[in-house]
């Protein structure tokens, strides 16, 4: 049986007045290509519904998207013009992640996902890299470079779980984020950095052999077509979801 992997979606109010659930297709295709069955998890469910969905899952993919509400890491909203929050998405992903962590479900956290993971475990975020972290280079290639093209290198910590998986200590990655990890959660370890020092990858400090817990700030789902390390990331995640819990 192919492992079933929850892929978190978002919701927005369209100009027509309808509220529409959406998720970027490359996440679904990357899971499928690695041998998994993607199950889209929209925000806004009642707890009982969410529990029902959760019970279907062998793994959890936290996707990219909007910003985590700053109150979740104890800060006031600094830039209402830049920080885009979807409270119902937070309200779905945080409890989902809580259960997945408790059950040691394999978790791959991408972009916003790694930010959700860090905040859930007690860390904080730069609300806007350009304003809050002088010296950070542009990390958002949207509008200038296609999403599937790398724009900056990352250095991967030798000997880390991530290095094992991708099989490299230098990667070229895409970059589509305006926020990043500020204070790292105590139970996470930084395993990849951009040249400006921004944390681009995290894993658990005490990985149990059965657990897969990895977060990356870039978008491997957009790279899998031409980037073997990105493909290995999805392959090993889906393989981890295949193991009986
Ligand atoms: Mn970046």
């Amino acid at each position: 049986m192919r492992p079933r992997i929850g892929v978190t979606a978002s919701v927005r109010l369209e100009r027509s007045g309808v509220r529409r659930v959406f998720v970027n297709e490359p996440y679904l295709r990357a899971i499928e290509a690695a041998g998994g069955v993607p199950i889209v998890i929209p925000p806004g469910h009642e707890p009982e519904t969410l529990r029902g969905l959760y019970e279907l899952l062998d793994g959890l993919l936290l996707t990219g998207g909007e910003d985590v509400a700053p109150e979740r890491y104890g800060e006031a909203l600094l830039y209402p013009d830049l920080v885009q929050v979807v409270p119902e998405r937070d309200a779905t992903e945080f409890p989902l992640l809580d259960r997945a962590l408790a059950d040691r479900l394999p978790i791959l956290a991408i972009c916003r996902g790694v930010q959700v993971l860090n905040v859930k475990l007690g860390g904080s975020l730069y609300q806007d890299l350009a304003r809050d972290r002088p010296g950070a280079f542009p990390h958002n290639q949207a509008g200038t470079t296609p999403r599937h093209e790398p724009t900056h290198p990352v250095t991967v910590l030798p000997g880390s779980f991530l290095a094992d998986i991708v099989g490299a200590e230098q990667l070229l990655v895409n970059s589509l984020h305006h926020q990043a990890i500020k204070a790292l959660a105590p139970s996470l370890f930084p395993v990849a950095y951009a040249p400006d020092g921004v944390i681009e990858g995290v894993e658990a400090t005490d990985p149990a052999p059965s657990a897969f817990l990895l977060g990356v700030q870039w978008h491997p789902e957009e790279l899998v077509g031409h980037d073997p390390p990105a493909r290995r990331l999805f392959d090993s995640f889906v393989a981890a979801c295949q193991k009986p819990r």
Side-chain angles (χ1 to χ4, degrees), residues 129 137-140 151-152 154 173-177 194 198-200 217-218:
L129 267 179
F137 59 60
H139 278 269
N140 195 350
T151 50
H152 73 70
V154 296
V173 302
N174 49 1
S175 199
L176 290 144
H177 56 114
V198 166
I199 295 175
E200 292 266 346
Q217 187 56 72
W218 67 93

Side-chain angles (χ1 to χ4, degrees), residues 109-160:
I110 293 177
C111 198
R112 164 193 162 89
V114 71
Q115 298 168 7
V116 169
L117 176 66
N118 184 53
V119 171
K120 172 76 196 110
L121 294 172
S124 68
L125 305 174
Y126 293 110
Q127 290 190 33
D128 187 66
L129 267 179
R131 293 199 194 178
D132 294 348
R133 191 178 156 113
F137 59 60
H139 278 269
N140 195 350
Q141 69 192 66
T144 58
T145 309
R147 299 171 63 86
H148 62 276
E149 283 180 21
T151 50
H152 73 70
V154 296
T155 304
V156 180
L157 185 74
S160 61

